[in-house]
Amino acid sequence: MNEITRILSTLEDGGPLESERLLPLVYDELRKLAAARLKQEKPGQTLQATALVHEAYLRLVGPEESQRWANRAHFFAAAAEAMRRILVEEARRKRSQKRGGSLERHDFEEAQLAAPGGVDVLELNEALDRLAARDLEAAQLVQLRFFAGMTMQEAARALDLSERTAERVWAYARSFLRIEIGCGPA
Protein backbone atom coordinates (compact mmCIF):
# COMPACT_ATOMS: atom_id res chain seq x y z
CA MET A 1 0.00 0.00 0.00
CA ASN A 2 1.53 3.32 -0.97
CA GLU A 3 1.91 6.17 1.52
CA ILE A 4 -1.02 8.20 0.15
CA THR A 5 -3.44 5.27 0.36
CA ARG A 6 -2.24 4.44 3.87
CA ILE A 7 -2.75 8.00 5.10
CA LEU A 8 -6.15 8.21 3.40
CA SER A 9 -7.28 5.04 5.15
CA THR A 10 -6.30 6.44 8.56
CA LEU A 11 -7.27 10.07 7.98
CA GLU A 12 -10.60 9.86 9.79
CA ASP A 13 -8.96 8.50 12.95
CA GLY A 14 -5.67 10.42 12.71
CA GLY A 15 -7.08 13.92 12.79
CA PRO A 16 -5.04 16.99 11.84
CA LEU A 17 -1.66 15.26 11.97
CA GLU A 18 -2.60 12.86 9.20
CA SER A 19 -4.05 15.62 7.02
CA GLU A 20 -0.82 17.61 7.49
CA ARG A 21 1.17 14.59 6.30
CA LEU A 22 -1.14 14.09 3.32
CA LEU A 23 -0.93 17.59 1.84
CA PRO A 24 2.74 17.49 0.76
CA LEU A 25 2.18 14.10 -0.87
CA VAL A 26 -0.80 15.17 -3.00
CA TYR A 27 -0.20 18.90 -3.41
CA ASP A 28 1.81 18.81 -6.65
CA GLU A 29 -0.67 16.49 -8.32
CA LEU A 30 -3.66 18.55 -7.17
CA ARG A 31 -1.89 21.72 -8.36
CA LYS A 32 -1.37 20.20 -11.82
CA LEU A 33 -5.03 19.17 -11.98
CA ALA A 34 -6.17 22.64 -10.93
CA ALA A 35 -3.87 24.38 -13.43
CA ALA A 36 -5.06 22.12 -16.24
CA ARG A 37 -8.67 22.72 -15.28
CA LEU A 38 -8.28 26.50 -15.10
CA LYS A 39 -6.54 26.49 -18.48
CA GLN A 40 -9.82 25.19 -19.96
CA GLU A 41 -11.80 28.08 -18.50
CA LYS A 42 -12.87 31.10 -20.48
CA PRO A 43 -10.43 34.03 -20.46
CA GLY A 44 -10.80 36.41 -17.52
CA GLN A 45 -10.84 33.73 -14.81
CA THR A 46 -9.58 35.34 -11.61
CA LEU A 47 -9.33 32.19 -9.51
CA GLN A 48 -5.75 30.94 -9.22
CA ALA A 49 -4.76 27.28 -9.28
CA THR A 50 -3.25 27.55 -5.80
CA ALA A 51 -6.47 28.96 -4.35
CA LEU A 52 -8.49 26.24 -6.09
CA VAL A 53 -6.24 23.52 -4.64
CA HIS A 54 -6.39 24.96 -1.13
CA GLU A 55 -10.17 25.35 -1.19
CA ALA A 56 -10.67 21.84 -2.57
CA TYR A 57 -8.27 20.37 -0.03
CA LEU A 58 -10.07 22.08 2.85
CA ARG A 59 -13.38 20.72 1.61
CA LEU A 60 -11.90 17.23 1.48
CA VAL A 61 -10.00 17.05 4.77
CA GLY A 62 -11.05 20.17 6.67
CA PRO A 63 -11.99 20.06 10.34
CA GLU A 64 -15.71 19.60 9.59
CA GLU A 65 -15.09 16.78 7.13
CA SER A 66 -15.07 13.13 8.18
CA GLN A 67 -14.91 11.12 5.00
CA ARG A 68 -13.00 7.95 4.22
CA TRP A 69 -11.43 7.27 0.87
CA ALA A 70 -11.01 3.76 -0.41
CA ASN A 71 -7.84 4.58 -2.32
CA ARG A 72 -5.87 7.24 -4.15
CA ALA A 73 -8.21 7.22 -7.19
CA HIS A 74 -11.23 7.75 -4.93
CA PHE A 75 -9.51 10.72 -3.27
CA PHE A 76 -8.63 12.35 -6.59
CA ALA A 77 -12.16 11.75 -7.90
CA ALA A 78 -13.47 13.54 -4.81
CA ALA A 79 -10.94 16.33 -5.43
CA ALA A 80 -12.21 16.66 -9.00
CA GLU A 81 -15.78 16.96 -7.76
CA ALA A 82 -14.72 19.54 -5.15
CA MET A 83 -12.92 21.59 -7.83
CA ARG A 84 -15.97 21.39 -10.06
CA ARG A 85 -18.23 22.68 -7.30
CA ILE A 86 -15.83 25.49 -6.44
CA LEU A 87 -15.63 26.61 -10.08
CA VAL A 88 -19.41 26.47 -10.43
CA GLU A 89 -19.87 28.48 -7.22
CA GLU A 90 -17.33 31.02 -8.45
CA ALA A 91 -19.06 31.31 -11.84
CA ARG A 92 -22.45 31.76 -10.16
CA ARG A 93 -21.01 34.35 -7.80
CA LYS A 94 -19.57 36.28 -10.74
CA ARG A 95 -22.87 36.18 -12.62
CA SER A 96 -25.03 37.27 -9.73
CA GLN A 97 -26.67 40.64 -10.25
CA LYS A 98 -25.46 41.78 -6.85
CA ARG A 99 -21.92 41.63 -8.13
CA GLY A 100 -22.62 43.04 -11.59
CA GLY A 101 -23.11 39.61 -13.13
CA SER A 102 -24.36 40.98 -16.40
CA LEU A 103 -21.17 43.00 -16.83
CA GLU A 104 -18.12 41.50 -18.47
CA ARG A 105 -14.56 42.10 -17.35
CA HIS A 106 -12.15 43.20 -20.08
CA ASP A 107 -8.42 43.63 -19.64
CA PHE A 108 -7.00 45.64 -22.49
CA GLU A 109 -4.12 43.27 -23.22
CA GLU A 110 -6.26 40.16 -22.77
CA ALA A 111 -9.04 41.51 -24.98
CA GLN A 112 -6.55 41.84 -27.81
CA LEU A 113 -4.75 38.55 -27.28
CA ALA A 114 -7.43 36.20 -25.95
CA ALA A 115 -8.47 33.43 -28.28
CA PRO A 116 -12.20 32.76 -28.51
CA GLY A 117 -13.45 29.61 -26.89
CA GLY A 118 -13.21 28.07 -23.49
CA VAL A 119 -15.94 26.37 -21.60
CA ASP A 120 -18.73 28.08 -19.70
CA VAL A 121 -18.63 26.29 -16.35
CA LEU A 122 -22.31 26.86 -15.59
CA GLU A 123 -23.40 25.51 -18.97
CA LEU A 124 -21.13 22.52 -18.52
CA ASN A 125 -22.42 21.93 -14.99
CA GLU A 126 -26.06 22.00 -16.11
CA ALA A 127 -25.31 19.72 -19.06
CA LEU A 128 -23.37 17.38 -16.77
CA ASP A 129 -26.32 17.24 -14.37
CA ARG A 130 -28.61 16.30 -17.28
CA LEU A 131 -26.12 13.63 -18.36
CA ALA A 132 -25.98 12.26 -14.79
CA ALA A 133 -29.76 11.97 -14.73
CA ARG A 134 -29.56 9.94 -17.92
CA ASP A 135 -26.30 8.03 -17.42
CA LEU A 136 -24.51 8.41 -14.07
CA GLU A 137 -21.50 6.39 -15.17
CA ALA A 138 -20.94 8.65 -18.19
CA ALA A 139 -21.15 11.74 -15.96
CA GLN A 140 -18.65 10.25 -13.52
CA LEU A 141 -16.27 9.49 -16.38
CA VAL A 142 -16.50 13.10 -17.59
CA GLN A 143 -15.75 14.37 -14.09
CA LEU A 144 -12.70 12.16 -13.78
CA ARG A 145 -11.40 13.04 -17.24
CA PHE A 146 -12.33 16.73 -17.40
CA PHE A 147 -12.09 17.90 -13.80
CA ALA A 148 -9.51 15.48 -12.38
CA GLY A 149 -7.45 15.30 -15.56
CA MET A 150 -7.20 11.52 -15.39
CA THR A 151 -6.14 9.52 -18.40
CA MET A 152 -8.64 7.12 -19.94
CA GLN A 153 -6.83 4.22 -18.30
CA GLU A 154 -6.88 5.84 -14.83
CA ALA A 155 -10.55 6.83 -15.12
CA ALA A 156 -11.53 3.35 -16.35
CA ARG A 157 -9.71 1.78 -13.42
CA ALA A 158 -11.37 4.20 -10.96
CA LEU A 159 -14.83 3.31 -12.33
CA ASP A 160 -14.01 -0.39 -12.62
CA LEU A 161 -14.55 -0.41 -16.40
CA SER A 162 -12.56 -1.93 -19.21
CA GLU A 163 -10.65 0.65 -21.20
CA ARG A 164 -12.68 -0.12 -24.32
CA THR A 165 -15.97 0.35 -22.46
CA ALA A 166 -14.68 3.62 -20.99
CA GLU A 167 -13.78 4.81 -24.50
CA ARG A 168 -17.33 4.07 -25.72
CA VAL A 169 -18.86 5.82 -22.71
CA TRP A 170 -16.49 8.77 -23.25
CA ALA A 171 -17.52 9.10 -26.92
CA TYR A 172 -21.19 9.07 -25.92
CA ALA A 173 -20.69 11.58 -23.09
CA ARG A 174 -18.71 13.99 -25.27
CA SER A 175 -21.36 13.92 -27.98
CA PHE A 176 -24.15 14.39 -25.45
CA LEU A 177 -22.40 17.35 -23.82
CA ARG A 178 -21.50 19.00 -27.13
CA ILE A 179 -25.14 18.86 -28.21
CA GLU A 180 -26.39 20.07 -24.81
CA ILE A 181 -23.95 22.98 -24.70
CA GLY A 182 -24.77 23.89 -28.27
CA CYS A 183 -21.51 23.02 -30.02
CA GLY A 184 -23.11 20.42 -32.27
CA PRO A 185 -22.11 16.75 -32.60
CA ALA A 186 -18.46 15.81 -32.06
Side-chain angles (χ1 to χ4, degrees):
M1 185 183 303
N2 73 27
E3 184 70 7
I4 294 173
T5 304
R6 191 188 63 68
I7 290 174
L8 288 172
S9 67
T10 61
L11 191 60
E12 188 175 278
D13 304 327
L17 291 177
E18 291 298 316
S19 65
E20 287 176 20
R21 290 182 53 217
L22 177 64
L23 183 59
L25 297 173
V26 298
Y27 186 81
D28 287 338
E29 206 164 335
L30 287 175
R31 181 85 168 70
K32 287 177 191 172
L33 295 175
R37 181 63 199 103
L38 288 172
K39 199 180 262 187
Q40 297 170 342
E41 291 291 314
K42 285 186 173 183
Q45 175 62 262
T46 57
L47 189 63
Q48 299 291 320
T50 303
L52 181 57
V53 168
H54 291 185
E55 181 67 27
Y57 189 78
L58 284 175
R59 288 186 183 196
L60 293 172
V61 297
E64 297 87 33
E65 304 302 319
S66 62
Q67 182 175 351
R68 292 188 77 96
W69 289 279
N71 54 35
R72 183 179 176 282
H74 184 210
F75 175 79
F76 282 102
E81 176 64 21
M83 287 182 192
R84 172 187 173 205
R85 290 176 189 223
I86 292 165
L87 289 170
V88 168
E89 289 167 7
E90 179 73 7
R92 284 185 179 143
R93 184 190 63 77
K94 282 183 176 181
R95 279 199 184 164
S96 72
Q97 290 302 320
K98 180 179 175 183
R99 291 184 170 70
S102 61
L103 303 176
E104 290 185 35
R105 177 182 170 199
H106 292 280
D107 292 337
F108 182 71
E109 297 82 20
E110 283 186 33
Q112 293 174 336
L113 300 175
V119 175
D120 184 315
V121 178
L122 293 179
E123 280 184 64
L124 176 61
N125 184 57
E126 290 167 5
L128 199 53
D129 287 343
R130 289 189 296 272
L131 177 61
R134 211 169 188 192
D135 188 338
L136 183 60
E137 187 174 69
Q140 290 171 334
L141 182 63
V142 171
Q143 286 181 357
L144 293 175
R145 296 278 319 217
F146 190 78
F147 289 96
M150 289 185 176
T151 65
M152 185 63 73
Q153 185 179 22
E154 292 169 333
R157 195 174 328 121
L159 293 173
D160 198 26
L161 298 173
S162 72
E163 219 173 313
R164 182 65 189 122
T165 299
E167 287 171 3
R168 282 193 302 269
V169 171
W170 178 245
Y172 161 72
R174 281 186 23 215
S175 293
F176 179 90
L177 292 174
R178 287 181 61 84
I179 290 168
E180 289 292 308
I181 291 174
C183 300

